[in-house]
Amino acid sequence: PVPAEAGQEDDGSRCPLPQARRVFLAPGARSSRIFLAPAADPQPAKLSRAELYKPPTSEELTQLKETEDLFHSSLLRLQIEELLKEVTLKETKKKKIDAFLHEINSLLGAIPETPETELTDQAWLSEDVKVPFLQVPFNVKGRFHFVPPAELKVVGSYLLGTCIRPEINVDIAVTMPREIFQDKDNLNQRYHRKRALYLSHIAQHLSKEKLFGSVKFAYMNSNHLKPILLLRPQGKDEKMVTVRLHACPDPGLFKPSRFYPSKNNVRTAWFMEQSSPKEGATEPPTPHYNNSILCDTVMLSHLHLLSNAATDFPGMKDGLALLKVWLNQRQLSKGLGCFSGFLVSMLVAYLLMKRKIVKMMSGYQVLRSTLQFLATTDLSVTGISLAKDADPSLPVLDDFHQAFEVVFVDPSGLVNLCADMTASKYHQVQFEAKRCMEILDDRMVDGFQVLLMTPKPMLRTFDHVFHLKHVSKLQGTCKKMQLLNELMDRGGNYVAAALPFVVSLLARGLSQRAQLVAHSLPQISEWPIDAEPPKHKDIGPLTFGLLFVPEFAASTLEKGPQADHLEALEFRTFWGEKSELRRFQDGSICEAVVWEASTVCQKRLIPEQIIRHLCGLLHVSLLPCVLSLGLKDTSLSQEAMVSVVCSYDDLSRKLWNLKELPLTVTAVQGVHPALRYTDVFPPIPVKPIYSFHNRRKHLLLPSEEKPCPAYITPLKIICHMEGSGQWPQDKGAIKRIKAAFHLQLAELLRQQHQLVCRPAVTHTDVYKDGYVFRLQVAYHREPLILKEVVTPEGMLKYQDTEESRQLELETLHLPYLTSSLHGLQQQHPVFGSTSRLAKRWISAQLLSDSISDECVDLLVAFLFLHPAPFTPPSSPQVGFLRFLNLLATFDWKNNPLIVNLNTGLTGEQEIKNKFVAARSRLPVMFLATPKDQWSSMWTRERPSAQILQRLVLLASESRRALEEQLMDPLSDQDVKVNPLSKNVLEALAVCITGL
C-alpha cells in the first residue's frame, strides 16, 4: 500500500504504483493517515529520476495552498469531495431523465383543446380528476378553455446542474397561452383557478398514458395558492426523478404595477360573499396574493440570472450542493415559508453580484461565505435586493418591509423571494448559520461530520417542544385577533395568517427566557388526482420549539416596568390577571408576574405555565409532549442532592480546620454519585428514634420489640493527608498509620464539632445532618509503593497490580471524576437530571449491572462538553433523547469517545491514532478522559461486545418509538410497534414514572 495524506490527487501518470492515488499534504495542516491499496498486484514502475522527482504542477500547488489556508484538516477536503460525488446526479441517470422529458414534451403538445365555459362550470372535467384548489368562495367571474401550452421550458436546479440526490426534482414551466385569459383575471383568485383547471386537464390526459408510474398533485412548498402536477416514470425508474409541472402565464400578460405590495387584488365583498361592497370602505393590500402571481411571471428571468451566475463558476455548483445538504439536515428546506434550494441559489447569486463571492472560489468557500452572510445579516430588519437599476416607480425596500416579515427582492424589483417566511424561521436559519461558523472555526471539532452528516430534528434540537394539536382552532384566533385582511391575502389559509402572530406572542411572553422560538414548517403531502385537495387543517399538529437561556429559563418572576411608566398599562394588558404590583428590594414598585413553583422540577415547568396562559389568550389548545415540558419528579431527588452537597461542604470545612492533627489535611474529595448530582436515589436524611434503640457506650443497638431501624447509605469521602518523611515505605505499615488516622479523626471530630463518629480500620463513619459520611484517609505515594516488585535477581521494579489499580481508582480517578462532574453541574444545571434519567432507562432494560455508573456519567457529560451541532441541553428530556442517539449512532468500533473534562486534552488526534493502532487490545466501548487517555478504566471490564450490541439496538429502538409518539400527539400513543418496541415502551414507562 501507498501511504498518502489528504490533499489533491493527480491523474496517476507519475504515481510509483499503478492504479493507486498520489495525494499531497498541505504544509502545516493536520492530517489523518490514509492507506490506499492498488486494485491489483503492483508492478515496479520504471520511471526516470527526472519523472520520479518532478515538481508539482501549478494546479497542484494552488490546491495545496487552498487546503492549507481554508481547511483545518486535509481530511476535510477529501470528505467534502466524496460527499459531492455521492449527491451529484450521474450522467447515466441524466440521459434517462432527458429521454423522459422529451416524451413529456411530445405528450403535452398533443393534449386537445376544450370549449369555453364559465369558471364555475367544471362539468367538462372528468369525475376521475378533482381540481387541486380550495375554491372558497366558489362563485367567481370569468371564463376558461384549455389550449395547449405556448411554451415548455425546463427551469430550476436540474438545468443548472445543482440538483442533489436522493430526491431529484425537474421543474418545467408550462406557459399558458394568452387567449385563455381575460381582463381582470388578477382579481379574486381568477388566475389561480384557471391555473388549477389548466393542470387538471393536463392530469386528466397524462394519467391515461402508460409512460407514467404515478400522476399526482401537490402544493409548491405547501402553498395552497400554488398547486403543481407531479409526474414519475413507470417501473423501476419511478423513484429516479419527479417532474414538477408549473403552470405560468406569459411574462407580459399582467401589468406589474397591479401587483405592488400596497395594491389590492382580492375584494372584501367577494371574499365575504356579500351582495354589495360597503360604501366608503377601503380595500386592504394583498401583498402575499400579489407575490404569488408575480412569482409565476418571473420564472424564466430567474433561470437566466442563475445560469449567468453559474457560467465559468464550478464552485457555485459544489457550494449549492453543500448548502442544500446543510439545509436538509436541519429540516429547513421543505414546507410553507422554507429556506428552499432555489432561495439559497438566489442568495449565492446576490453575493456574487455584490462581490462577496467571486468566481474563483471553491465550493467550500461558497459555503463559508454564504453562512457568514446569513449569520451577520438580519433580512427581517435590513432587506436585500437583486435589482440593479433602481426604478423610481418600483416599490422600495421599506414598502416590502411593511408587507412582509423577511425581505429578499428579486432582480425585477417586484417579487419578494421570502414572502412566506416568518421572521422566526429566518432567525432560526440565522442562529444555525452562526453556530456553524463557530464550529468551522473550531479546530477541535470534526466540522464535516457535525455540519453535513448529522441530522437535527426538532425533538433533539430544542430544549422544550410542544404541539398545537387542533390547528382548525386558529380560525377563532384569526377572528379574535382581527386578521380578516391576512386571511384574504393568504387565500383563506388561517394557519399561515395566524402563525406569525402566534410566534410573536410566544416570543414576547417568553422574553429573556428563550433565545430562539421556532416553529415547524406547515407541510402538505402530495395526493392522487382523483382526491379532493387537502384542507388547511390537514397539516396536522403545529410544532413549536423553544431554545432557552439556562440562567433565566426557570425564573419564577417576570419583572415589568414601574407602575408610573406608560409601558405598565401595556404590560398589564398583555398578562391580564396574572399581573400584579410588587415592591422590590431597591424600593421600586413595578408590575410583575409571579409563577408558582417550589421545587426544581416545578421550576422547569414554568415555561409550560407561560405557554398555556398565552395559548389561552389565543383560544387554541395546547398539547405538550410527554417528555418535552418536564417530568413529574416525585422523589424530589434534585433537592435531596442539594441537601447532601451542602452537608458535605460543611463537613469538608470542618476537616480542613481540624486542630491537633499530626499532619494537615491537603484535600477532601467526595466519590459518591450523589456528590456529582447523578445518583438516581440519593440518600435521604434519617434521624434515629432513640426510644427504638439501646445505648451501649457509643453504640445504638436496635431493640428487639421495636421496628428495624432504617438503613443509611454511607457517602464515601477521600481525605488526603500531607506528605512527610515520617510515612513508612511498607504497605502494611501504611495501612496501620491510616487506621491510626481514622481513630484520631473520629476523636477530634467528636471533641471539636460534637459529631457522632464510629472509627474502623479502613474508614471512619461520621453521622451528620441525618447522613453518614465514610471518611477514608489516603496517602499519595501508597499506589506507587504497591507497584513495587522485587525480581528474582533482587532488582526493584514497578508494575501495575490489581491492588494498586484499585487504590488509584478509589483515591485518584474517582475523586477527580466526581469533582469534574460536580463543576459541570454548576455550568449546566440539567446535567445531573439527564444522567439520572439515562441510568433509569438502562436499569429498566436490566443492563445496570453490565455498564458502570461512571461510564453513564461520562457519556452524558460528552453531550454537554461536545454538543455540536446542537447547543448544550437545557432540559433533561432533550439530553435523554441525545443520549439515546449517541448510543445508537456512535461508531464504537472505529472511534474513541473523547470526553474533554475541564478542557484538559489537547492531543485528541494522537489518541485517535493510538486507538486505531491498538484497537484489538482495547475495550469495545473506549472512553478517553484527560486523566485516563489510554486505558479506558471505566469500560475496561464492562460492557462486553454482546451487551454493547444489545444496548445500541435498544437505544435505537427506544429513540425511534419515543420520537414517533412525541411527534404524533394525536395518535394517543396508539403506535404500531414490534415486540421489541413494545418492551422498550414499557421500560420507558417505568423509567418516566419513577422520576
Side-chain angles (χ1 to χ4, degrees):
V2 180
E5 295 180 336
Q8 178 64 33
E9 61 176 323
D10 64 2
D11 58 1
S13 60
R14 293 185 281 110
C15 186
L17 296 178
Q19 303 184 38
R21 295 193 296 172
R22 187 181 67 152
V23 190
F24 294 99
L25 172 64
R30 297 190 297 121
S31 66
S32 292
R33 183 165 290 276
I34 304 172
F35 294 92
L36 301 173
D41 293 336
Q43 300 297 326
K46 296 181 180 180
L47 298 176
S48 66
R49 185 177 181 83
E51 291 175 324
L52 188 60
Y53 294 100
K54 184 178 179 180
T57 64
S58 59
E59 181 182 353
E60 291 171 344
L61 288 174
T62 301
Q63 291 171 343
L64 285 171
K65 181 63 175 174
E66 181 182 294
T67 303
E68 178 184 5
D69 294 341
L70 295 178
F71 298 89
H72 295 159
S73 168
S74 302
L75 183 62
L76 177 58
R77 184 187 189 112
L78 292 178
Q79 289 173 321
I80 289 178
E81 289 175 355
E82 290 300 318
L83 173 64
L84 292 174
K85 290 178 185 177
E86 285 294 319
V87 300
T88 303
L89 187 62
K90 303 295 187 292
E91 287 297 327
T92 54
K93 297 288 185 182
K94 286 184 180 179
K95 292 179 181 179
K96 290 184 179 181
I97 293 174
D98 289 341
F100 184 55
L101 295 177
H102 284 300
E103 295 186 51
I104 292 176
N105 184 38
S106 60
L107 289 174
L108 289 175
I111 298 178
E113 298 185 12
T114 62
E116 189 174 60
T117 60
E118 294 291 331
L119 272 177
T120 53
D121 181 9
Q122 299 167 7
W124 56 271
L125 197 62
S126 170
E127 294 183 356
D128 296 331
V129 178
K130 304 296 183 183
V131 180
F133 194 85
L134 296 175
Q135 303 181 72
V136 180
F138 182 74
N139 292 322
V140 66
K141 297 179 180 179
R143 302 180 65 80
F144 173 79
H145 67 288
F146 182 88
V147 179
E151 185 182 13
L152 297 174
K153 193 77 172 180
V154 177
V155 295
S157 59
Y158 178 75
L159 199 61
L160 297 170
T162 59
C163 59
I164 64 171
R165 298 162 60 197
E167 295 183 12
I168 301 298
N169 297 314
V170 180
D171 296 285
I172 297 181
V174 181
T175 303
M176 297 180 287
R178 283 176 175 258
E179 53 261 38
I180 72 172
F181 293 99
Q182 294 92 39
D183 291 339
K184 298 186 178 181
D185 272 354
N186 58 297
L187 298 176
N188 300 341
Q189 300 181 3
R190 295 183 199 176
Y191 163 76
H192 294 90
R193 301 195 183 191
K194 287 187 176 182
R195 185 179 179 279
L197 288 170
Y198 199 87
L199 290 174
S200 299
H201 188 65
I202 292 176
Q204 178 177 331
H205 283 78
L206 295 187
S207 61
K208 303 173 183 176
E209 300 291 336
K210 295 183 179 179
L211 174 66
F212 305 106
S214 67
V215 178
K216 294 184 178 182
F217 287 126
Y219 291 132
M220 186 61 187
N221 290 330
S222 297
N223 187 340
H224 287 73
L225 296 177
K226 303 294 285 293
I228 56 176
L229 185 62
L230 306 182
L231 307 175
R232 294 187 178 93
Q234 182 66 267
K236 62 180 181 180
D237 292 332
E238 183 174 358
K239 295 182 179 180
M240 177 181 66
V241 64
T242 300
V243 176
R244 305 190 294 191
L245 299 187
H246 303 256
C248 61
D250 187 276
L253 177 64
F254 297 114
K255 289 183 179 180
S257 58
R258 293 179 177 177
F259 301 101
Y260 288 175
S262 59
K263 296 299 181 69
N264 172 275
N265 282 287
V266 180
R267 304 297 188 244
T268 305
W270 170 81
F271 186 77
M272 300 298 295
E273 298 186 277
Q274 298 172 350
S275 56
S276 60
K278 294 182 180 179
E279 295 183 3
T282 58
E283 295 291 347
T286 54
H288 291 88
Y289 175 93
N290 301 346
N291 200 81
S292 67
I293 298 178
L294 285 171
C295 283
D296 289 347
T297 65
V298 293
M299 294 182 73
L300 295 180
S301 64
H302 290 167
L303 173 66
H304 294 150
L305 171 73
L306 294 175
S307 179
N308 292 334
T311 304
D312 300 325
F313 189 6
M316 180 176 177
K317 176 181 176 181
D318 294 343
L320 287 176
L322 295 175
L323 285 165
K324 289 179 180 179
V325 171
W326 179 78
L327 289 168
N328 288 342
Q329 295 286 33
R330 282 147 185 78
Q331 299 182 346
L332 296 171
S333 59
K334 293 181 180 179
L336 182 64
C338 65
F339 207 94
S340 63
F342 165 72
L343 184 55
V344 79
S345 302
M346 296 296 284
L347 181 59
V348 171
Y350 169 82
L351 296 177
L352 182 65
M353 184 184 76
K354 295 297 183 181
R355 301 184 184 278
K356 296 183 178 181
I357 286 178
V358 295
K359 292 194 173 183
M360 295 296 293
M361 286 184 173
S362 66
Y364 179 72
Q365 288 173 300
V366 171
L367 171 69
R368 283 190 64 107
S369 300
T370 307
L371 291 179
Q372 179 66 27
F373 177 82
L374 288 172
T376 57
T377 308
D378 190 350
L379 298 186
S380 64
V381 178
T382 58
I384 57 176
S385 175
L386 272 163
K388 294 182 180 179
D389 300 323
D391 188 342
S393 64
L394 294 177
V396 296
L397 286 177
D398 288 342
D399 297 329
F400 285 100
H401 276 295
Q402 292 178 6
F404 305 103
E405 290 195 322
V406 186
V407 176
F408 180 15
V409 182
D410 82 325
S412 69
L414 296 169
V415 178
N416 180 18
L417 302 175
C418 296
D420 294 329
M421 187 179 296
T422 64
S424 169
K425 185 53 62 177
Y426 180 78
H427 291 152
Q428 183 183 354
V429 174
Q430 191 177 29
F431 179 85
E432 292 288 352
K434 289 179 181 177
R435 181 75 179 125
C436 290
M437 289 307 299
E438 295 172 0
I439 292 170
L440 288 174
D441 292 335
D442 188 351
R443 292 181 176 271
M444 304 303 292
V445 178
D446 183 0
F448 174 80
Q449 183 70 29
V450 165
L451 298 186
L452 301 175
M453 302 300 291
T454 305
K456 292 190 67 176
M458 289 192 73
L459 279 176
R460 296 202 296 271
T461 300
F462 294 97
D463 297 317
H464 289 183
V465 174
F466 65 95
H467 302 293
L468 295 180
K469 59 179 179 178
H470 298 301
V471 294
S472 59
K473 293 190 177 181
L474 288 175
Q475 288 178 294
T477 301
C478 291
K479 183 177 181 181
K480 178 179 176 62
M481 303 184 73
Q482 300 178 353
L483 300 179
L484 173 61
N485 297 344
E486 284 74 12
L487 273 175
M488 290 171 48
D489 188 20
R490 298 281 193 168
N493 188 347
Y494 48 83
V495 177
L499 184 57
F501 296 90
V502 172
V503 174
S504 63
L505 186 74
L506 290 173
R508 180 180 175 185
L510 294 166
S511 59
Q512 294 183 345
R513 298 175 190 270
Q515 57 180 318
L516 187 64
V517 179
H519 60 84
S520 62
L521 293 167
Q523 293 190 45
I524 297 290
S525 58
E526 58 192 48
W527 68 94
I529 60 175
D530 59 351
E532 294 291 340
K535 296 181 172 55
H536 307 302
K537 65 180 181 180
D538 293 333
I539 65 167
L542 200 57
T543 304
F544 293 85
L546 310 176
L547 198 61
F548 280 103
V549 180
E551 293 81 6
F552 304 106
S555 174
T556 58
L557 178 67
E558 197 82 33
K559 186 177 179 181
Q562 293 189 12
D564 55 351
H565 288 188
L566 295 177
E567 295 84 359
L569 177 60
E570 184 181 356
F571 186 89
R572 286 194 298 270
T573 303
F574 181 79
W575 289 108
E577 61 183 13
K578 289 285 184 180
S579 178
E580 58 185 31
L581 281 177
R582 287 205 165 218
R583 182 187 293 275
F584 292 87
Q585 291 182 350
D586 59 359
S588 61
I589 301 177
C590 300
E591 294 288 342
V593 176
V594 180
W595 303 99
E596 296 181 3
S598 57
T599 66
V600 174
C601 178
Q602 290 174 350
K603 288 181 179 179
R604 285 202 297 265
L605 293 173
I606 287 177
E608 181 184 2
Q609 296 185 47
I610 296 174
I611 294 167
R612 287 189 181 277
H613 174 74
L614 297 175
C615 289
L617 298 177
L618 297 173
H619 295 290
V620 295
S621 298
L622 168 70
L623 180 66
C625 288
V626 177
L627 278 178
S628 305
L629 290 171
L631 301 177
K632 303 301 181 183
D633 195 348
T634 55
S635 65
L636 301 178
S637 52
Q638 187 77 18
E639 287 75 10
M641 276 185 290
V642 171
S643 174
V644 170
V645 171
C646 289
S647 182
Y648 160 76
D649 290 339
D650 185 57
L651 178 59
S652 298
R653 287 190 292 269
K654 288 179 168 56
L655 288 170
W656 278 92
N657 297 325
L658 278 180
K659 300 175 182 179
E660 301 178 12
L661 269 176
L663 297 176
T664 59
V665 176
T666 59
V668 178
Q669 296 176 306
V671 298
H672 194 273
L675 301 178
R676 54 181 183 261
Y677 294 91
T678 62
D679 194 12
V680 178
F681 298 108
I684 298 175
V686 176
K687 303 293 184 181
I689 303 175
Y690 294 105
S691 61
F692 286 10
H693 301 79
N694 298 320
R695 287 181 177 271
R696 289 188 182 178
K697 296 185 179 180
H698 301 298
L699 300 180
L700 292 177
L701 299 180
S703 178
E704 292 183 0
E705 63 273 7
K706 297 291 184 180
C708 181
Y711 170 73
I712 307 178
T713 304
L715 301 164
K716 193 172 182 179
I717 296 176
I718 304 298
C719 188
H720 289 268
M721 311 303 292
E722 68 173 324
S724 170
Q726 301 300 316
W727 278 97
Q729 300 303 307
D730 178 71
K731 59 181 182 181
I734 291 176
K735 291 181 180 179
R736 290 179 175 84
I737 294 293
K738 288 165 59 177
F741 270 116
H742 293 144
L743 289 169
Q744 193 159 18
L745 282 174
E747 185 64 27
L748 293 177
L749 287 172
R750 189 181 302 115
Q751 291 177 1
Q752 298 177 22
H753 300 288
Q754 293 74 49
L755 293 176
V756 177
C757 302
R758 182 182 180 277
V761 174
T762 56
H763 60 269
T764 289
D765 287 339
V766 179
Y767 177 76
K768 181 180 184 298
D769 302 328
Y771 304 106
V772 173
F773 295 94
R774 178 159 290 176
L775 302 182
Q776 181 176 328
V777 170
Y779 171 44
H780 68 280
R781 281 186 49 82
E782 186 178 6
L784 186 63
I785 295 172
L786 292 178
K787 294 180 182 180
E788 293 179 354
V789 176
V790 179
T791 64
E793 293 79 14
M795 296 183 63
L796 182 67
K797 70 174 185 178
Y798 295 92
Q799 68 180 26
D800 284 338
T801 62
E802 186 61 34
E803 189 178 7
S804 68
R805 280 196 292 263
Q806 185 63 29
L807 187 63
E808 280 187 336
L809 184 72
E810 293 180 357
T811 61
L812 297 177
H813 296 291
L814 260 177
Y816 172 78
L817 178 67
T818 301
S819 61
S820 298
L821 296 183
H822 179 90
L824 187 63
Q825 170 71 20
Q826 307 309 311
Q827 297 176 11
H828 305 286
V830 301
F831 161 72
S833 301
T834 304
S835 182
R836 291 186 290 115
L837 193 54
K839 290 178 182 179
R840 284 304 307 271
W841 175 79
I842 288 176
S843 179
Q845 314 309 318
L846 306 181
L847 295 176
S848 56
D849 290 337
S850 302
I851 183 170
S852 65
D853 283 358
E854 292 78 16
C855 175
V856 178
D857 290 343
L858 286 173
L859 291 175
V860 174
F862 178 84
L863 303 173
F864 290 85
L865 295 171
H866 311 276
F870 307 99
T871 56
S874 290
S875 70
Q877 295 76 35
V878 70
F880 174 62
L881 286 174
R882 293 185 197 173
F883 169 79
L884 294 177
N885 186 66
L886 174 66
L887 280 178
T889 61
F890 191 81
D891 186 1
W892 299 104
K893 181 179 180 181
N894 300 312
N895 290 296
L897 188 76
I898 301 175
V899 187
N900 197 357
L901 295 170
N902 301 326
T903 62
L905 279 175
T906 55
E908 293 190 9
Q909 190 59 48
E910 183 183 359
I911 295 176
K912 293 178 181 178
N913 293 340
K914 289 190 176 182
F915 170 83
V916 172
R919 183 65 189 100
S920 60
R921 303 189 301 272
L922 297 175
V924 292
M925 178 186 281
F926 186 88
L927 305 183
T929 62
K931 297 292 185 181
D932 177 31
Q933 299 185 21
W934 316 119
S935 63
S936 187
M937 65 177 62
W938 310 113
T939 60
R940 184 185 299 141
E941 298 179 357
R942 50 180 181 158
S944 63
Q946 294 82 2
I947 292 296
L948 178 59
Q949 183 179 6
R950 178 66 176 170
L951 197 62
V952 169
L953 178 64
L954 287 170
S956 177
E957 194 66 18
S958 298
R959 182 199 62 190
R960 183 199 63 79
L962 194 56
E963 289 186 350
E964 279 186 7
Q965 293 195 29
L966 293 178
M967 291 306 292
D968 188 15
L970 295 183
S971 65
D972 293 327
Q973 300 188 359
D974 182 18
V975 180
K976 293 181 180 180
V977 294
N978 57 37
L980 173 61
S981 300
K982 184 176 180 181
N983 294 336
V984 167
L985 294 178
E986 291 174 354
L988 281 172
V990 173
C991 173
I992 291 171
T993 54
L995 273 182

